[in-house]
Amino acid sequence: MNYKLMLRMLGRTLQVEALCLLLPLLVALWYHEDPRPFLYTIVPVALLGFALARIPSRDAFFSRESFTVVGLIWLAFSLFGALPFWFSGEFQSFADCLFEIVSGFTTSGGTVLADIEALPRGILFWRSFASWIGGMGVLLFTLAFLPRVGGRTQVLVHAEVPGPIFSKLVPKTVQSSQILYIMYFVLTGAEILAFLLAGLPLYDAVVTTFACVCTGGFSVMNLSIGAYSLPACEVIAIVFMLLGSLNFALFFLALTGRAKQVIKSDELQFFLLIVAGASLLIFWNILPLYDTAGHALRDAVFQVTSVISTSGFSTTDYNLWPPFAQTILVLLMFVGGCSGSTAGSIKCGRILLLLRSSTRSLLRLSHPRAVRVVKLDGKVVDEETLRTVSSFFLCFFALLGVGCLVVSLDGYSLTTSFTAALGCLSNVGPGLDLVGPMGNFGLLSGFNKVFLSLLMLIGRLEIFPILLLFLPSTWRRS
């Protein structure tokens, strides 16, 4: 293990975090709020980052180190990122602070806050901005703005970017990360402008965009986006949640004149089919509850998009919907968006590969000698990738079972325990019952808040980087 290089990389990311904290500090000063929560955090984080970044090391770096350092960086980023919340005095415990910032960085959108609107604007800005940073990834953000991190950058990005198959946009990983962030900035700017035109104040437009384009789901209103009562804002949110759920490589293909490849994407077609089908089924089921078909359709499409994109926004209390509609939403929590997007959960690409792999296994029963391969977008998927996908599914459902058991220790219903664990592991955030769209996670014990914070990190990093930290073999000398 190249510990010196790992510490140096951690130092670089902490420097980036200190720089990011300057923005909410400026917001706090603009609104004449107490800047000390940010100053008390920026100074030690910057000094520690500067000291670690100066550690001399060799650049020998392998897969084990890459997955391990990604896990460590996200843990450190979260712990230090929780400090402004703690210093603000607005949270009851550090467990609450940790849950809130991890929910932001992992773009989960779950909250422990009962009265969001009572918090200072600087704190709320940091809460939403954290989800914007985590949407693309902490290391990807660092590579885009501080490219001289060291080590094998492609391996690092592969350990952080979601999806079963990682492909670079251009030969150099650093340039790929910069291109991704250019597209991310363009989407962010376009959505801010759209919200302003729809009638939102500048501050609300910015923080809602931060939480929307990254499919994070944090709102500065207690009733989420529904508080604005602006159908145009809901439509804008739907569009950008869908865009955030797509593989950003598809945007690059479209911009470089390869639109046919975008249209032929198996994962894109599968994703859109699920969104359309689920929206129509829920619309049919909830129509009797509404005065107009248009309102019912808008709520159905919004909640389907919010859940499958793992955003967690809400325009209505779907706890009051029929069980059929609620069941569809729970199933969508397992699906998630496309690979290479800002969305969480299992991902459509993995589900497609598992379905095709399972179909191949069934066909082999009747034709044992037939040679069949699994393809995605017309390309043959290697057996190692298929094994990794199977391992991911096994680990995901095992962790979900453990999570449900642990949360149930607080004595809440099966629905609350199961959807709380699922919402955190899949990075959706809100679940059903007490942790539904009009509830929050503040009712859980401090232990469960820390446990669910870990579960959110595991889900965001797609299980393996965090689990590797707990294996003794990871830390042995090779």
Side-chain angles (χ1 to χ4, degrees):
M1 293 286 280
N2 191 344
Y3 293 110
K4 290 185 177 180
L5 180 56
M6 291 168 66
L7 289 173
R8 193 177 81 191
M9 292 172 61
L10 177 60
R12 297 290 275 179
T13 55
L14 289 179
Q15 287 177 323
V16 168
E17 185 169 29
L19 290 172
C20 290
L21 283 162
L22 291 175
L23 199 53
L25 171 63
L26 292 175
V27 172
L29 291 172
W30 178 264
Y31 287 104
H32 306 290
E33 296 171 350
D34 187 1
R36 287 177 296 179
F38 299 106
L39 292 174
Y40 290 166
T41 305
I42 291 171
V43 174
V45 170
L47 290 175
L48 180 61
F50 180 78
L52 293 177
R54 292 180 63 83
I55 295 177
S57 66
R58 52 191 175 84
D59 283 341
F61 208 64
F62 302 99
S63 294
R64 184 176 64 164
E65 284 99 333
S66 66
F67 280 91
T68 304
V69 78
V70 166
L72 288 174
I73 283 173
W74 274 77
L75 285 171
F77 220 79
S78 299
L79 288 170
F80 286 111
L83 292 179
F85 294 160
W86 176 247
F87 290 132
S88 72
E90 299 288 344
F91 291 77
Q92 294 182 356
S93 66
F94 190 77
D96 285 353
C97 301
L98 182 64
F99 183 95
E100 201 73 14
I101 196 65
V102 170
S103 184
F105 281 133
T106 60
T107 70
S108 296
T111 183
V112 297
L113 299 171
D115 187 4
I116 298 169
E117 297 170 36
L119 267 68
R121 291 196 171 194
I123 292 296
L124 289 177
F125 187 92
W126 172 235
R127 181 173 170 265
S128 295
F129 187 45
S131 63
W132 187 86
I133 296 169
M136 271 294 181
V138 170
L139 269 168
L140 200 67
F141 189 87
T142 303
L143 285 171
F145 298 101
L146 291 176
R148 296 185 64 183
V149 172
R152 296 163 62 190
T153 53
Q154 182 178 350
V155 182
L156 287 169
V157 173
H158 180 57
E160 185 181 53
V161 173
I165 301 172
F166 168 70
S167 56
K168 293 189 291 185
L169 304 182
V170 293
K172 292 186 177 181
T173 305
V174 171
Q175 290 180 353
S176 291
S177 64
Q178 290 170 344
I179 292 171
L180 284 171
Y181 260 97
I182 289 172
M183 293 189 289
Y184 200 37
F185 273 116
V186 170
L187 284 177
T188 302
E191 189 174 6
I192 290 174
L193 180 60
F195 275 136
L196 289 173
L197 293 175
L200 286 190
L202 177 60
Y203 177 84
D204 291 53
V206 171
V207 292
T208 305
T209 293
F210 283 159
C212 193
V213 73
C214 71
T215 64
F218 272 153
S219 175
V220 292
M221 307 298 287
N222 293 329
L223 297 178
S224 192
I225 285 183
Y228 299 111
S229 298
L230 293 171
C233 288
E234 296 173 22
V235 174
I236 292 167
I238 289 171
V239 170
F240 282 92
M241 284 190 291
L242 286 173
L243 291 174
S245 303
L246 303 183
N247 191 331
F248 274 63
L250 297 180
F251 299 148
F252 183 75
L253 290 175
L255 291 171
T256 52
R258 288 173 281 180
K260 287 185 178 180
Q261 288 182 245
V262 176
I263 297 171
K264 292 180 180 179
S265 169
D266 293 342
E267 189 179 29
L268 175 63
Q269 294 173 5
F270 184 62
F271 173 75
L272 295 178
L273 180 64
I274 293 175
V275 171
S279 298
L280 289 174
L281 287 172
I282 290 180
F283 166 68
W284 165 77
N285 189 232
I286 67 173
L287 184 58
L289 304 177
Y290 286 79
D291 295 330
T292 64
H295 191 187
L297 181 62
R298 193 173 73 244
D299 275 0
V301 175
F302 187 96
Q303 291 309 147
V304 165
T305 304
S306 179
V307 171
I308 198 170
S309 68
T310 68
S311 296
F313 282 119
S314 61
T315 55
T316 185
D317 187 359
Y318 51 78
N319 264 328
L320 304 177
W321 283 1
F324 179 78
Q326 291 184 13
T327 302
I328 291 176
L329 292 179
V330 171
L331 291 175
L332 292 176
M333 289 182 184
F334 288 99
V335 178
C338 300
S339 305
S341 69
T342 61
S345 202
I346 293 174
K347 304 290 185 304
C348 289
R350 281 197 184 89
I351 294 173
L352 259 181
L353 289 178
L354 186 71
L355 289 174
R356 292 178 177 179
S357 180
S358 300
T359 302
R360 181 182 65 169
S361 298
L362 287 173
L363 292 173
R364 279 179 173 175
L365 293 176
S366 56
H367 303 284
R369 296 184 179 181
V371 177
R372 300 182 184 275
V373 294
V374 175
K375 293 184 177 182
L376 190 67
D377 296 336
K379 298 178 182 178
V380 176
V381 180
D382 61 87
E383 295 299 319
E384 180 61 30
T385 299
L386 294 177
R387 282 192 292 269
T388 303
V389 167
S390 299
S391 299
F392 180 91
F393 270 88
L394 177 63
C395 292
F396 185 93
F397 284 99
L399 286 166
L400 178 59
V402 172
C404 184
L405 282 172
V406 173
V407 177
S408 67
L409 291 173
D410 279 356
Y412 297 108
S413 69
L414 175 60
T415 302
T416 296
S417 300
F418 178 76
T419 57
L422 176 58
C424 290
L425 182 60
S426 62
N427 299 137
V428 173
L432 294 173
D433 202 9
L434 297 179
V435 293
M438 300 302 149
N440 60 74
F441 289 79
L443 51 86
L444 299 178
S445 65
F447 171 79
N448 261 325
K449 288 170 186 172
V450 174
F451 173 78
L452 289 177
S453 299
L454 182 62
L455 210 60
M456 285 188 281
L457 286 171
I458 291 173
R460 171 58 183 83
L461 295 180
E462 306 212 309
I463 297 175
F464 303 118
I466 296 294
L467 291 189
L468 281 174
L469 298 179
F470 298 96
L471 291 179
S473 59
T474 302
W475 306 100
R476 293 183 191 138
R477 292 183 177 274
S478 57

